[in-house]
Amino acid sequence: GCGSPRAATTSGNVLMNEIAWMGSGGNPLAQWMEFKNMSKRKTVDLKGWKVLDRDGASLVAFEEKTSLAPVSR
């Protein structure tokens, strides 16, 4: 089943910062996630990464090159 998402999760320098798993008030299907690359200089490619539910089922899979630039501070 689809378990509820966990709080912010990190993998190395990538932070899953926000999750709108119930959509928005205007559109319950407008689901989104925000990822932040917390490194200072290195761009991260998310290709091959997956977001899983608590049962290990894939909810989102990054199959194409998806570059995540560092957060400017």
Side-chain angles (χ1 to χ4, degrees), residues 3-62:
S4 60
R6 294 183 180 144
T9 302
T10 62
S11 178
N13 289 322
V14 176
L15 171 73
M16 182 186 290
N17 191 52
E18 294 184 63
I19 304 171
W21 62 276
M22 291 182 66
S24 66
N27 182 354
L29 299 177
Q31 302 168 335
W32 54 269
M33 289 178 262
E34 179 181 77
F35 293 86
K36 287 188 177 181
N37 177 356
M38 302 305 290
S39 71
K40 294 181 181 178
R41 295 186 181 99
K42 184 179 175 187
T43 297
V44 175
D45 182 7
L46 299 179
K47 183 177 180 178
W49 286 40
K50 293 180 181 180
V51 177
L52 308 174
D53 70 10
R54 71 173 70 180
D55 297 325
S58 180
L59 300 175
V60 176
F62 293 93

